[in-house]
Amino acid sequence: MNLLVVGISHRSAAVETLERLAVGPEAAAALARALLRGGEVREAVVLSTCNRVEVYAVAASFHGGLSAVVDELHRIWGLTELEADLDFASCGYVRHGADAVAHAFRVAAGLDSMVAGEPQILGQLRDAYDTAREADQVGRHLHELFQQALRVGKRIHAETDVDAAAPSIVTAALDLAERALAGAGFANGLTETRAAVVGAGSMGSLATATLARAGVKSLAVANRDRAKARRLADVWGAEAADYGDLPGLAAGADLLVCATSSPSRCCAPPTSPGAPAPSSSATSPSPRTSPRTSRT
């Protein structure tokens, strides 16, 4: 038997492609059923999140299983031979045997996530496995793989600091900003603020998630790639803002978080007469910048 992982993710495909090829829960269940009916695939688990669509499959032959999965992905995506600009070969990846096992472990640990070490993927992996198990779509091979992957993921999160670095930087910056806001008259802290995030990478994504969970009054996300900003904003119920008008974004925010790879400040508080200034700004650094939080 051959173990395969066939999929696309934020590492292999552009944001627009991920949006176009997203697979919802019903489609994911239908995909697994169709693969098993075809005969080439004996076991199947479909993992579908906002950042990846992956099929974990066990097949009698590698090439037969791969062809079956790719053909079914093309069918469920609604792709035709006329769409030469988009097919699995242009945006997908395949892992086989030991590489498939290693990939499953990396995914479970959060090491393959957009925000390295984030724990949400572990629950998503468990849900995908449970769904397939309840539908009798897994046998001993995928049972063993997913049970081991879940154990590895839990142990890595429990025994290492894999998920500590990014949250600690963002949390520290937002704690300082909240204290600054309190001093500026925002008695209820973040819940009263209009917040904006510049950057939609790992730090920007984490800052957006943290602010949304804190219940800010309003939240906007700006990024050079507007599609990426829109995708992140949609996940957290925020607004995708215009990166070309960062001064305007700053002027309308009480709290501004800059999380880009720029070596210098990407957006200064407005200085024109009569323009309101944000009550607090926080810069979440890349390795080339130093952390700073300032009141204005």
Side-chain angles (χ1 to χ4, degrees):
M1 287 295 173
N2 290 266
L3 174 65
L4 299 86
V5 178
V6 183
I8 62 169
S9 76
H10 65 98
R11 294 186 181 276
S12 68
V15 172
E16 295 87 347
T17 302
L18 284 172
E19 290 177 340
R20 184 175 172 183
L21 304 182
V23 175
E26 292 184 3
L31 171 59
R33 289 194 299 269
L35 286 172
L36 295 175
R37 282 198 305 268
E40 288 287 348
V41 174
R42 310 295 174 83
E43 304 176 36
V45 172
V46 179
L47 174 64
S48 180
T49 75
C50 59
N51 287 319
R52 71 182 65 243
V53 177
E54 293 181 337
V55 178
Y56 293 75
V58 173
S61 71
F62 169 76
H63 293 291
L66 176 59
S67 295
V69 173
V70 172
D71 288 349
E72 196 56 38
L73 283 172
H74 280 182
R75 186 195 67 78
I76 208 162
W77 285 335
L79 302 181
T80 68
E81 293 181 0
L82 298 178
E83 294 180 278
D85 66 314
L86 182 61
D87 61 9
F88 179 80
S90 69
C91 61
Y93 49 85
V94 180
R95 304 288 184 266
H96 177 232
D99 288 339
V101 175
H103 178 80
F105 287 6
R106 284 183 58 82
V107 170
L111 297 178
D112 199 59
S113 296
M114 183 177 290
V115 178
E118 60 92 6
Q120 185 179 14
I121 188 63
L122 189 61
Q124 293 167 329
L125 197 71
R126 183 186 299 106
D127 289 344
Y129 168 59
D130 287 343
T131 297
R133 182 171 50 81
E134 290 167 5
D136 199 27
Q137 294 168 341
V138 297
R140 68 179 182 88
H141 298 91
L142 290 186
H143 273 307
E144 183 174 357
L145 173 65
F146 276 83
Q147 288 169 5
Q148 290 286 357
L150 291 170
R151 276 195 288 269
V152 166
K154 289 178 184 177
R155 185 173 179 183
I156 286 175
H157 284 288
E159 298 182 13
T160 74
D161 294 328
V162 67
D163 54 354
S168 66
I169 293 172
V170 171
T171 300
L174 291 179
D175 283 347
L176 289 171
E178 189 166 17
R179 287 202 292 271
L181 286 164
F186 290 81
N188 295 321
L190 294 177
T191 58
E192 294 183 56
T193 64
R194 300 164 299 168
V197 177
V198 180
S202 59
M203 288 293 190
S205 299
L206 188 57
T208 301
T210 303
L211 288 166
R213 289 171 180 148
V216 292
K217 184 177 180 180
S218 66
L219 180 59
V221 180
N223 192 65
R224 288 185 187 276
D225 183 342
R226 187 173 175 83
K228 192 171 182 180
R230 186 176 65 250
R231 184 161 171 263
L232 178 60
D234 288 346
V235 170
W236 294 105
E239 174 191 354
D242 183 7
Y243 189 86
D245 186 25
L246 293 185
L249 181 65
D254 303 310
L255 171 63
L256 178 67
V257 178
C258 295
T260 73
S261 59
S262 172
S264 59
R265 194 169 192 161
C266 67
C267 183
T271 57
S272 58
S279 299
S280 182
S281 64
T283 298
S284 206
S286 73
R288 292 185 295 163
T289 62
S290 60
R292 61 183 180 273
T293 301
S294 62
R295 291 178 61 182
T296 59

